[in-house]
Amino acid sequence: MLALKRAAVAIALTEADDASGGTAVLLTLRAAGLRAHSSQWALPGGRCDEGETQVAAALRELHEELGLDLREQNVLGLLDDYPTRSGYLITPVVVWADASSAISPNPEEVASVHRIALGDIERADAFDFTTIPESTRRVIRFRHAGQFIHAPTAALIYQFREVLAGRDTRVAELEQPVFAWK
């Protein structure tokens, strides 16, 4: 078996865009012109450069994709690594971006940015599990704005939700849909 390439994503928390004063997770819709995973929902992130830590990679990718200039003191913690079918081991890095952090999406990488309120990921019906003929593992899906967001993004958001609820839930065994295997 080939070694998985290291990657990192940011679970970037910030203020919700409504008047609730609550917290939201930043989620992107990837640009249509990207070579890999174009027009898919994703957490900001990407490959780790040679010698780069996962935290440094997540912070760099946040800056490249959303213009957020955060530092290590913004890091709240890490979630479990998630192995992908496409050959990556993704480390989710949870960060705080305060309200004064201006979001400026890079149009070459990001079609749009969305603030997903924590209440939306905590809903009982926010996630579901299905099966596919190609795997014996459960496929996780996150319902957002009338669409399904799939693993790895859905799995990582699900684990974050479980952490918020005080549950010790592992997600590495949750499957991705076949279209994400490449």
Side-chain angles (χ1 to χ4, degrees), residues 3-4 8 14 16 31 36-37 47 58 63 66 72 94 103 105 115-116 122 130 134 143 145 147 151-152 166 174:
L4 297 175
T14 191
H37 308 293
R47 283 186 211 145
H63 186 261
L66 300 182
E72 286 205 23
V94 182
I103 297 170
R115 293 175 192 244
I116 311 301
E122 293 170 331
T130 189
E134 297 84 355
R143 282 190 183 93
Q147 299 180 43
L174 295 176

Side-chain angles (χ1 to χ4, degrees), residues 91-157:
T91 300
V93 179
V94 182
V95 300
W96 177 255
D98 63 34
S100 66
S101 300
I103 297 170
S104 178
N106 175 349
E108 292 180 13
E109 296 192 43
V110 176
S112 57
V113 181
H114 304 262
R115 293 175 192 244
I116 311 301
L118 292 187
D120 289 344
I121 68 172
E122 293 170 331
R123 286 188 343 262
D125 66 345
F127 295 87
D128 72 13
F129 301 90
T130 189
T131 58
I132 56 175
E134 297 84 355
S135 178
T136 58
R137 296 163 39 195
R138 297 182 306 157
V139 175
I140 186 169
R141 303 183 300 187
F142 169 52
R143 282 190 183 93
H144 171 66
Q147 299 180 43
F148 283 119
I149 298 170
H150 297 88
T153 300
L156 302 177
I157 293 171

Side-chain angles (χ1 to χ4, degrees), residues 7-10 48 52-62 70-78 91-95:
V9 296
C48 295
E52 185 178 44
T53 67
Q54 291 87 342
V55 167
L59 294 174
R60 174 182 52 77
E61 290 285 349
L62 263 177
L70 302 181
R71 302 283 180 240
E72 286 205 23
Q73 60 262 30
N74 295 91
V75 175
L76 302 174
L78 307 177
T91 300
V93 179
V94 182
V95 300

